[in-house]
Amino acid sequence: MSLNEIDKLSREEQVYFAKLAEQLSDMTDYITAAVLRTSDPTSEERTLLSVAFKNTIGTRRTALRTISSIETREKERGESRVRQAGLTASARERIEGELRDLCLRVLKLLKDNLAPTAQSVEAQVFYGKMIGDYNRYLAEFGRPEELEELVSTAEQAYVKASTLAVAELQPTHSMRLGVALNYSVFAYDVLKDADRAAKIAKSAFDEALTELDGLSEEGYRESTMILQLLRDNLQLWAAELEGVEEPAQEE
């Protein structure tokens, strides 16, 4: 379906097709069109927006890590692999370009349309976390001249979202835990500050753990899933200090 055809659908139809597209193909066009037609997207629409771009960008982030690893190996093999190294460099640059375009598209949507009109605390924290996330993704492969600004913008977004979440949301709230999870990954992977990452993750984990008993079944399931990721990362980071390296888990 073309973008013009998508624009002609009602908002409800756009959300409906976004759900279908999640199972079939890229859902970003549908859900973007839907959230642009309201100043206050629902929780379901926010989640669909996050999932849509996470799925699209996640495959490219994985591909970029793989291609970068191959490129490094080819370069290390010397002159006999110059052509192969050049081909992998071209592939890496193409994936970086696609990632950059997608991240900038999300950030423009967030900064121009969604974050300024967010009404609930949950929405403000949600969009703040996304702004942090997508600046972090850009920082993973950013050019040297833009890296400082990307890192600074991501950190400011995480700090703002985290501060609001701690002040207004329960320790077991999935949004508060999600911000802590991704903020701690940012601290570890981008800032290279293992102590800070562990402090963020452990604080969120410990505070939530003492209040799980009062949650509904659904709330318990959502919170414990993120708590497991926080615990996995704390264990992973401890292992990496001993020389075992694996990618951290994020929401």
Side-chain angles (χ1 to χ4, degrees), residues 86-101:
L87 291 172
T88 53
S90 296
R92 171 183 53 76
E93 290 169 0
R94 177 178 60 80
I95 296 170
E96 286 178 349
E98 293 174 357
L99 265 173
R100 183 173 287 104
D101 289 345

Side-chain angles (χ1 to χ4, degrees), residues 1-2 26 39 69 81 108 149 212 218 220 245 247 249:
M1 189 177 294
S2 70
D26 184 5
S39 61
S69 178
R81 305 294 291 184
K108 179 175 174 56
E149 182 178 354
L212 285 175
E218 181 178 358
Y220 183 87
E245 294 190 7
Q249 302 294 316

